[in-house]
mmCIF file of all heavy atoms in Angstrom:
data_model
loop_
_atom_site.group_PDB
_atom_site.id
_atom_site.type_symbol
_atom_site.label_atom_id
_atom_site.label_comp_id
_atom_site.label_asym_id
_atom_site.label_seq_id
_atom_site.Cartn_x
_atom_site.Cartn_y
_atom_site.Cartn_z
ATOM 1 N N ILE A 1518 -72.333 71.470 25.760
ATOM 2 C CA ILE A 1518 -71.771 72.419 24.793
ATOM 3 C C ILE A 1518 -72.684 72.508 23.566
ATOM 4 O O ILE A 1518 -72.956 73.602 23.063
ATOM 5 C CB ILE A 1518 -70.335 72.024 24.387
ATOM 6 C CG1 ILE A 1518 -69.402 72.100 25.605
ATOM 7 C CG2 ILE A 1518 -69.819 72.928 23.263
ATOM 8 C CD1 ILE A 1518 -68.036 71.463 25.391
ATOM 9 N N ALA A 1519 -73.183 71.361 23.116
ATOM 10 C CA ALA A 1519 -74.101 71.344 21.977
ATOM 11 C C ALA A 1519 -75.338 72.177 22.282
ATOM 12 O O ALA A 1519 -75.778 72.989 21.450
ATOM 13 C CB ALA A 1519 -74.479 69.913 21.637
ATOM 14 N N SER A 1520 -75.871 71.999 23.460
ATOM 15 C CA SER A 1520 -77.055 72.745 23.868
ATOM 16 C C SER A 1520 -76.770 74.250 23.920
ATOM 17 O O SER A 1520 -77.575 75.060 23.462
ATOM 18 C CB SER A 1520 -77.519 72.244 25.233
ATOM 19 O OG SER A 1520 -78.708 72.867 25.614
ATOM 20 N N MET A 1521 -75.620 74.616 24.456
ATOM 21 C CA MET A 1521 -75.245 76.039 24.578
ATOM 22 C C MET A 1521 -75.023 76.703 23.227
ATOM 23 O O MET A 1521 -75.318 77.879 23.053
ATOM 24 C CB MET A 1521 -73.960 76.192 25.394
ATOM 25 C CG MET A 1521 -74.128 76.037 26.869
ATOM 26 S SD MET A 1521 -72.574 76.394 27.704
ATOM 27 C CE MET A 1521 -71.948 74.747 27.914
ATOM 28 N N THR A 1522 -74.462 75.938 22.294
ATOM 29 C CA THR A 1522 -74.072 76.523 21.008
ATOM 30 C C THR A 1522 -75.091 76.312 19.900
ATOM 31 O O THR A 1522 -74.949 76.863 18.818
ATOM 32 C CB THR A 1522 -72.719 75.944 20.539
ATOM 33 O OG1 THR A 1522 -72.846 74.527 20.378
ATOM 34 C CG2 THR A 1522 -71.604 76.265 21.506
ATOM 35 N N GLY A 1523 -76.111 75.488 20.187
ATOM 36 C CA GLY A 1523 -77.114 75.213 19.169
ATOM 37 C C GLY A 1523 -76.617 74.253 18.094
ATOM 38 O O GLY A 1523 -77.178 74.191 16.996
ATOM 39 N N LYS A 1524 -75.580 73.506 18.393
ATOM 40 C CA LYS A 1524 -75.024 72.530 17.457
ATOM 41 C C LYS A 1524 -75.333 71.120 17.947
ATOM 42 O O LYS A 1524 -75.732 70.930 19.080
ATOM 43 C CB LYS A 1524 -73.506 72.710 17.342
ATOM 44 C CG LYS A 1524 -73.087 74.060 16.784
ATOM 45 C CD LYS A 1524 -71.592 74.127 16.609
ATOM 46 C CE LYS A 1524 -71.149 75.447 16.043
ATOM 47 N NZ LYS A 1524 -71.729 75.776 14.742
ATOM 48 N N THR A 1525 -75.109 70.144 17.080
ATOM 49 C CA THR A 1525 -75.307 68.748 17.493
ATOM 50 C C THR A 1525 -74.071 68.271 18.255
ATOM 51 O O THR A 1525 -72.979 68.854 18.134
ATOM 52 C CB THR A 1525 -75.505 67.837 16.275
ATOM 53 O OG1 THR A 1525 -74.310 67.828 15.496
ATOM 54 C CG2 THR A 1525 -76.688 68.294 15.426
ATOM 55 N N GLU A 1526 -74.228 67.194 19.016
ATOM 56 C CA GLU A 1526 -73.077 66.613 19.717
ATOM 57 C C GLU A 1526 -72.026 66.141 18.724
ATOM 58 O O GLU A 1526 -70.826 66.275 18.976
ATOM 59 C CB GLU A 1526 -73.525 65.440 20.596
ATOM 60 C CG GLU A 1526 -74.132 65.879 21.910
ATOM 61 C CD GLU A 1526 -74.389 64.701 22.825
ATOM 62 O OE1 GLU A 1526 -73.413 64.047 23.239
ATOM 63 O OE2 GLU A 1526 -75.568 64.441 23.122
ATOM 64 N N GLY A 1527 -72.469 65.596 17.594
ATOM 65 C CA GLY A 1527 -71.532 65.159 16.563
ATOM 66 C C GLY A 1527 -70.699 66.310 16.038
ATOM 67 O O GLY A 1527 -69.485 66.188 15.838
ATOM 68 N N SER A 1528 -71.338 67.441 15.839
ATOM 69 C CA SER A 1528 -70.642 68.643 15.381
ATOM 70 C C SER A 1528 -69.617 69.105 16.413
ATOM 71 O O SER A 1528 -68.497 69.504 16.070
ATOM 72 C CB SER A 1528 -71.661 69.748 15.108
ATOM 73 O OG SER A 1528 -71.026 70.926 14.711
ATOM 74 N N ILE A 1529 -69.988 69.020 17.673
ATOM 75 C CA ILE A 1529 -69.069 69.408 18.752
ATOM 76 C C ILE A 1529 -67.862 68.471 18.762
ATOM 77 O O ILE A 1529 -66.715 68.917 18.891
ATOM 78 C CB ILE A 1529 -69.787 69.389 20.126
ATOM 79 C CG1 ILE A 1529 -70.916 70.422 20.163
ATOM 80 C CG2 ILE A 1529 -68.788 69.622 21.265
ATOM 81 C CD1 ILE A 1529 -70.517 71.851 19.837
ATOM 82 N N ARG A 1530 -68.102 67.176 18.597
ATOM 83 C CA ARG A 1530 -66.985 66.208 18.563
ATOM 84 C C ARG A 1530 -66.035 66.515 17.412
ATOM 85 O O ARG A 1530 -64.817 66.462 17.565
ATOM 86 C CB ARG A 1530 -67.510 64.780 18.460
ATOM 87 C CG ARG A 1530 -68.019 64.229 19.785
ATOM 88 C CD ARG A 1530 -68.246 62.727 19.734
ATOM 89 N NE ARG A 1530 -69.247 62.339 18.739
ATOM 90 C CZ ARG A 1530 -70.570 62.320 18.959
ATOM 91 N NH1 ARG A 1530 -71.042 62.647 20.141
ATOM 92 N NH2 ARG A 1530 -71.395 61.952 18.005
ATOM 93 N N VAL A 1531 -66.602 66.837 16.237
ATOM 94 C CA VAL A 1531 -65.769 67.156 15.067
ATOM 95 C C VAL A 1531 -64.956 68.420 15.323
ATOM 96 O O VAL A 1531 -63.747 68.467 15.064
ATOM 97 C CB VAL A 1531 -66.641 67.300 13.790
ATOM 98 C CG1 VAL A 1531 -65.844 67.894 12.648
ATOM 99 C CG2 VAL A 1531 -67.225 65.953 13.397
ATOM 100 N N LEU A 1532 -65.608 69.447 15.835
ATOM 101 C CA LEU A 1532 -64.905 70.704 16.141
ATOM 102 C C LEU A 1532 -63.801 70.471 17.176
ATOM 103 O O LEU A 1532 -62.696 71.011 17.056
ATOM 104 C CB LEU A 1532 -65.884 71.760 16.662
ATOM 105 C CG LEU A 1532 -66.724 72.462 15.612
ATOM 106 C CD1 LEU A 1532 -67.878 73.209 16.270
ATOM 107 C CD2 LEU A 1532 -65.859 73.413 14.805
ATOM 108 N N GLN A 1533 -64.097 69.677 18.178
ATOM 109 C CA GLN A 1533 -63.118 69.379 19.223
ATOM 110 C C GLN A 1533 -61.923 68.636 18.625
ATOM 111 O O GLN A 1533 -60.769 68.974 18.903
ATOM 112 C CB GLN A 1533 -63.790 68.534 20.303
ATOM 113 C CG GLN A 1533 -62.895 68.122 21.430
ATOM 114 C CD GLN A 1533 -63.652 67.244 22.407
ATOM 115 O OE1 GLN A 1533 -64.761 67.565 22.817
ATOM 116 N NE2 GLN A 1533 -63.062 66.138 22.784
ATOM 117 N N HIS A 1534 -62.196 67.642 17.790
ATOM 118 C CA HIS A 1534 -61.128 66.877 17.158
ATOM 119 C C HIS A 1534 -60.250 67.786 16.291
ATOM 120 O O HIS A 1534 -59.015 67.727 16.356
ATOM 121 C CB HIS A 1534 -61.715 65.742 16.313
ATOM 122 C CG HIS A 1534 -60.684 64.976 15.569
ATOM 123 N ND1 HIS A 1534 -59.842 64.076 16.171
ATOM 124 C CD2 HIS A 1534 -60.349 65.001 14.257
ATOM 125 C CE1 HIS A 1534 -59.023 63.579 15.255
ATOM 126 N NE2 HIS A 1534 -59.319 64.120 14.087
ATOM 127 N N ARG A 1535 -60.880 68.628 15.490
ATOM 128 C CA ARG A 1535 -60.120 69.549 14.634
ATOM 129 C C ARG A 1535 -59.289 70.519 15.467
ATOM 130 O O ARG A 1535 -58.145 70.820 15.126
ATOM 131 C CB ARG A 1535 -61.064 70.324 13.714
ATOM 132 C CG ARG A 1535 -61.659 69.458 12.641
ATOM 133 C CD ARG A 1535 -62.580 70.245 11.753
ATOM 134 N NE ARG A 1535 -63.172 69.369 10.743
ATOM 135 C CZ ARG A 1535 -64.279 69.644 10.072
ATOM 136 N NH1 ARG A 1535 -64.927 70.768 10.294
ATOM 137 N NH2 ARG A 1535 -64.747 68.799 9.184
ATOM 138 N N ALA A 1536 -59.869 71.006 16.549
ATOM 139 C CA ALA A 1536 -59.141 71.945 17.415
ATOM 140 C C ALA A 1536 -57.933 71.274 18.053
ATOM 141 O O ALA A 1536 -56.844 71.854 18.100
ATOM 142 C CB ALA A 1536 -60.079 72.493 18.494
ATOM 143 N N LEU A 1537 -58.111 70.050 18.539
ATOM 144 C CA LEU A 1537 -56.992 69.342 19.175
ATOM 145 C C LEU A 1537 -55.897 69.014 18.159
ATOM 146 O O LEU A 1537 -54.705 69.126 18.465
ATOM 147 C CB LEU A 1537 -57.485 68.077 19.865
ATOM 148 C CG LEU A 1537 -58.366 68.318 21.094
ATOM 149 C CD1 LEU A 1537 -58.937 67.006 21.606
ATOM 150 C CD2 LEU A 1537 -57.609 69.048 22.181
ATOM 151 N N THR A 1538 -56.305 68.636 16.948
ATOM 152 C CA THR A 1538 -55.326 68.363 15.889
ATOM 153 C C THR A 1538 -54.539 69.625 15.566
ATOM 154 O O THR A 1538 -53.307 69.601 15.451
ATOM 155 C CB THR A 1538 -56.042 67.832 14.627
ATOM 156 O OG1 THR A 1538 -56.719 66.624 14.963
ATOM 157 C CG2 THR A 1538 -55.059 67.566 13.499
ATOM 158 N N LYS A 1539 -55.229 70.753 15.437
ATOM 159 C CA LYS A 1539 -54.569 72.026 15.141
ATOM 160 C C LYS A 1539 -53.666 72.450 16.294
ATOM 161 O O LYS A 1539 -52.549 72.949 16.065
ATOM 162 C CB LYS A 1539 -55.628 73.100 14.843
ATOM 163 C CG LYS A 1539 -55.057 74.416 14.407
ATOM 164 C CD LYS A 1539 -54.353 74.301 13.071
ATOM 165 C CE LYS A 1539 -53.872 75.655 12.600
ATOM 166 N NZ LYS A 1539 -53.066 75.561 11.380
ATOM 167 N N LEU A 1540 -54.118 72.242 17.523
ATOM 168 C CA LEU A 1540 -53.291 72.582 18.686
ATOM 169 C C LEU A 1540 -51.983 71.798 18.675
ATOM 170 O O LEU A 1540 -50.918 72.348 18.948
ATOM 171 C CB LEU A 1540 -54.041 72.289 19.985
ATOM 172 C CG LEU A 1540 -54.888 73.402 20.558
ATOM 173 C CD1 LEU A 1540 -55.633 72.905 21.789
ATOM 174 C CD2 LEU A 1540 -54.068 74.625 20.887
ATOM 175 N N LYS A 1541 -52.059 70.509 18.349
ATOM 176 C CA LYS A 1541 -50.847 69.688 18.282
ATOM 177 C C LYS A 1541 -49.882 70.251 17.248
ATOM 178 O O LYS A 1541 -48.676 70.338 17.489
ATOM 179 C CB LYS A 1541 -51.194 68.238 17.949
ATOM 180 C CG LYS A 1541 -51.854 67.496 19.079
ATOM 181 C CD LYS A 1541 -52.241 66.088 18.647
ATOM 182 C CE LYS A 1541 -53.102 65.413 19.684
ATOM 183 N NZ LYS A 1541 -53.596 64.104 19.246
ATOM 184 N N GLU A 1542 -50.415 70.644 16.086
ATOM 185 C CA GLU A 1542 -49.583 71.227 15.040
ATOM 186 C C GLU A 1542 -48.933 72.527 15.526
ATOM 187 O O GLU A 1542 -47.738 72.750 15.315
ATOM 188 C CB GLU A 1542 -50.421 71.531 13.795
ATOM 189 C CG GLU A 1542 -50.913 70.322 13.055
ATOM 190 C CD GLU A 1542 -51.887 70.692 11.942
ATOM 191 O OE1 GLU A 1542 -52.001 71.881 11.571
ATOM 192 O OE2 GLU A 1542 -52.549 69.773 11.433
ATOM 193 N N LEU A 1543 -49.717 73.383 16.155
ATOM 194 C CA LEU A 1543 -49.209 74.668 16.633
ATOM 195 C C LEU A 1543 -48.151 74.490 17.719
ATOM 196 O O LEU A 1543 -47.164 75.228 17.765
ATOM 197 C CB LEU A 1543 -50.361 75.541 17.142
ATOM 198 C CG LEU A 1543 -51.341 76.022 16.074
ATOM 199 C CD1 LEU A 1543 -52.565 76.647 16.724
ATOM 200 C CD2 LEU A 1543 -50.667 76.997 15.119
ATOM 201 N N ILE A 1544 -48.339 73.507 18.586
ATOM 202 C CA ILE A 1544 -47.356 73.235 19.644
ATOM 203 C C ILE A 1544 -46.053 72.746 19.025
ATOM 204 O O ILE A 1544 -44.963 73.161 19.436
ATOM 205 C CB ILE A 1544 -47.923 72.235 20.673
ATOM 206 C CG1 ILE A 1544 -49.015 72.922 21.501
ATOM 207 C CG2 ILE A 1544 -46.822 71.680 21.575
ATOM 208 C CD1 ILE A 1544 -49.861 71.983 22.339
ATOM 209 N N GLU A 1545 -46.139 71.877 18.016
ATOM 210 C CA GLU A 1545 -44.930 71.399 17.336
ATOM 211 C C GLU A 1545 -44.184 72.550 16.671
ATOM 212 O O GLU A 1545 -42.961 72.632 16.744
ATOM 213 C CB GLU A 1545 -45.278 70.318 16.306
ATOM 214 C CG GLU A 1545 -45.581 68.989 16.935
ATOM 215 C CD GLU A 1545 -44.459 68.479 17.833
ATOM 216 O OE1 GLU A 1545 -43.286 68.498 17.411
ATOM 217 O OE2 GLU A 1545 -44.761 68.080 18.973
ATOM 218 N N ILE A 1546 -44.926 73.440 16.013
ATOM 219 C CA ILE A 1546 -44.309 74.606 15.381
ATOM 220 C C ILE A 1546 -43.619 75.463 16.437
ATOM 221 O O ILE A 1546 -42.488 75.920 16.248
ATOM 222 C CB ILE A 1546 -45.356 75.424 14.591
ATOM 223 C CG1 ILE A 1546 -45.813 74.616 13.375
ATOM 224 C CG2 ILE A 1546 -44.809 76.782 14.184
ATOM 225 C CD1 ILE A 1546 -47.047 75.171 12.689
ATOM 226 N N PHE A 1547 -44.290 75.682 17.549
ATOM 227 C CA PHE A 1547 -43.711 76.474 18.627
ATOM 228 C C PHE A 1547 -42.413 75.841 19.127
ATOM 229 O O PHE A 1547 -41.401 76.518 19.296
ATOM 230 C CB PHE A 1547 -44.704 76.627 19.784
ATOM 231 C CG PHE A 1547 -44.135 77.383 20.938
ATOM 232 C CD1 PHE A 1547 -44.124 78.762 20.943
ATOM 233 C CD2 PHE A 1547 -43.579 76.718 22.020
ATOM 234 C CE1 PHE A 1547 -43.577 79.473 21.992
ATOM 235 C CE2 PHE A 1547 -43.029 77.404 23.078
ATOM 236 C CZ PHE A 1547 -43.029 78.799 23.063
ATOM 237 N N LYS A 1548 -42.439 74.514 19.358
ATOM 238 C CA LYS A 1548 -41.255 73.821 19.843
ATOM 239 C C LYS A 1548 -40.106 73.920 18.840
ATOM 240 O O LYS A 1548 -38.948 74.120 19.233
ATOM 241 C CB LYS A 1548 -41.567 72.339 20.109
ATOM 242 C CG LYS A 1548 -42.394 72.098 21.341
ATOM 243 C CD LYS A 1548 -42.664 70.612 21.489
ATOM 244 C CE LYS A 1548 -43.463 70.287 22.703
ATOM 245 N NZ LYS A 1548 -43.728 68.840 22.807
ATOM 246 N N GLN A 1549 -40.416 73.765 17.563
ATOM 247 C CA GLN A 1549 -39.376 73.862 16.531
ATOM 248 C C GLN A 1549 -38.761 75.259 16.524
ATOM 249 O O GLN A 1549 -37.548 75.408 16.399
ATOM 250 C CB GLN A 1549 -39.952 73.546 15.153
ATOM 251 C CG GLN A 1549 -40.269 72.080 14.958
ATOM 252 C CD GLN A 1549 -41.020 71.811 13.667
ATOM 253 O OE1 GLN A 1549 -41.268 72.716 12.869
ATOM 254 N NE2 GLN A 1549 -41.392 70.555 13.456
ATOM 255 N N ASN A 1550 -39.586 76.276 16.660
ATOM 256 C CA ASN A 1550 -39.087 77.645 16.675
ATOM 257 C C ASN A 1550 -38.226 77.918 17.902
ATOM 258 O O ASN A 1550 -37.295 78.701 17.846
ATOM 259 C CB ASN A 1550 -40.245 78.643 16.605
ATOM 260 C CG ASN A 1550 -40.914 78.650 15.244
ATOM 261 O OD1 ASN A 1550 -40.337 78.230 14.252
ATOM 262 N ND2 ASN A 1550 -42.156 79.113 15.198
ATOM 263 N N GLN A 1551 -38.558 77.268 19.021
ATOM 264 C CA GLN A 1551 -37.795 77.475 20.250
ATOM 265 C C GLN A 1551 -36.422 76.807 20.188
ATOM 266 O O GLN A 1551 -35.487 77.243 20.819
ATOM 267 C CB GLN A 1551 -38.569 76.935 21.454
ATOM 268 C CG GLN A 1551 -39.805 77.719 21.779
ATOM 269 C CD GLN A 1551 -39.531 79.169 22.072
ATOM 270 O OE1 GLN A 1551 -38.760 79.487 22.955
ATOM 271 N NE2 GLN A 1551 -40.131 80.060 21.316
ATOM 272 N N SER A 1552 -36.324 75.722 19.424
ATOM 273 C CA SER A 1552 -35.064 74.974 19.377
ATOM 274 C C SER A 1552 -34.094 75.548 18.358
ATOM 275 O O SER A 1552 -32.976 75.097 18.245
ATOM 276 C CB SER A 1552 -35.334 73.500 19.078
ATOM 277 O OG SER A 1552 -35.883 73.357 17.780
#
Side-chain angles (χ1 to χ4, degrees):
I1518 296 168
S1520 184
M1521 283 185 263
T1522 61
K1524 297 184 179 301
T1525 65
E1526 280 188 64
S1528 178
I1529 297 305
R1530 282 193 299 275
V1531 169
L1532 282 166
Q1533 179 182 312
H1534 176 75
R1535 289 180 182 160
L1537 292 173
T1538 300
K1539 185 66 176 174
L1540 270 176
K1541 288 177 189 175
E1542 291 172 13
L1543 292 169
I1544 289 167
E1545 284 305 312
I1546 291 167
F1547 178 83
K1548 286 179 179 179
Q1549 288 172 3
N1550 290 339
Q1551 291 302 303
S1552 65

